[in-house]
Amino acid sequence: MRKVNNQLVESLELLLSTIGRWIKIAHRQCIDKYKELDLTEHQYKVLKVLKAGGPYKMMELGDIIHTSSGSLTVMIDRLVAKDMAERFFMAEDRRVVMVAITGTGEKALEQFRNGLIAILTDKINGFDAEK
């Protein structure tokens, strides 16, 4: 059995924690910058998942983003109201509700994602400037 380097593990844990904080801060800045999109961090995450592999059954989507069906329903209602997502019934079984991203949702996702990447890039470039 291989010995684990505790210092390496602690460094990785710190790095992941720091990256998580950066992303949260960048999300907040992006939300402020793109107020007209009226997109929360969780709604952004839903749109990303829908774009990557949708459409999904509501239950599947809830499992993927680790959200209760009640919270997900409210989130999807808001995305549908903004025309960023759509609900429809599965053709084979009309009891099954499906969710997909719309063209408007794809545009909002792209705009938000580009803003998020720009903010994170600026933060990383700030580290280079400190050297």
Side-chain angles (χ1 to χ4, degrees):
M1 187 145 105
R2 211 166 125 178
K3 185 177 177 186
V4 176
N5 182 330
N6 286 340
Q7 187 177 5
L8 176 62
V9 171
E10 288 173 7
S11 295
L12 286 172
E13 182 182 33
L14 178 62
L15 176 63
L16 292 173
S17 176
T18 302
I19 290 170
R21 281 194 305 272
W22 285 353
I23 290 174
K24 279 206 169 293
I25 291 167
H27 268 275
R28 282 189 219 115
Q29 290 174 350
C30 210
I31 287 167
D32 289 343
K33 184 176 180 178
Y34 296 107
K35 285 182 177 156
E36 74 279 0
L37 293 177
D38 189 27
L39 197 61
T40 68
E41 186 177 342
H42 294 294
Q43 290 170 345
Y44 171 76
K45 185 176 179 181
V46 167
L47 291 176
K48 269 181 39 177
V49 169
L50 289 173
K51 170 96 168 134
Y56 285 107
K57 296 175 186 175
M58 285 286 284
M59 286 182 61
E60 289 175 334
L61 185 57
D63 289 343
I64 291 168
I65 63 168
H66 309 290
T67 302
S68 69
S69 62
S71 295
L72 182 60
T73 297
V74 171
M75 205 178 320
I76 296 300
D77 284 345
R78 291 182 179 152
L79 288 171
V80 168
K82 298 176 206 175
D83 191 36
M84 293 184 189
E86 63 179 343
R87 279 193 186 98
F88 58 95
F89 295 103
M90 187 180 246
E92 303 85 44
D93 185 350
R94 295 200 37 85
R95 295 172 294 175
V96 178
V97 178
M98 303 292 291
V99 183
I101 191 170
T102 63
T104 302
E106 287 184 7
K107 289 176 188 169
L109 179 64
E110 183 74 17
Q111 185 178 359
F112 195 89
R113 184 175 178 277
N114 288 341
L116 190 60
I117 289 170
I119 290 167
L120 289 170
T121 301
D122 286 346
K123 287 188 180 306
I124 292 168
N125 287 336
F127 287 125
D128 287 344
E130 290 178 13
K131 286 184 177 180

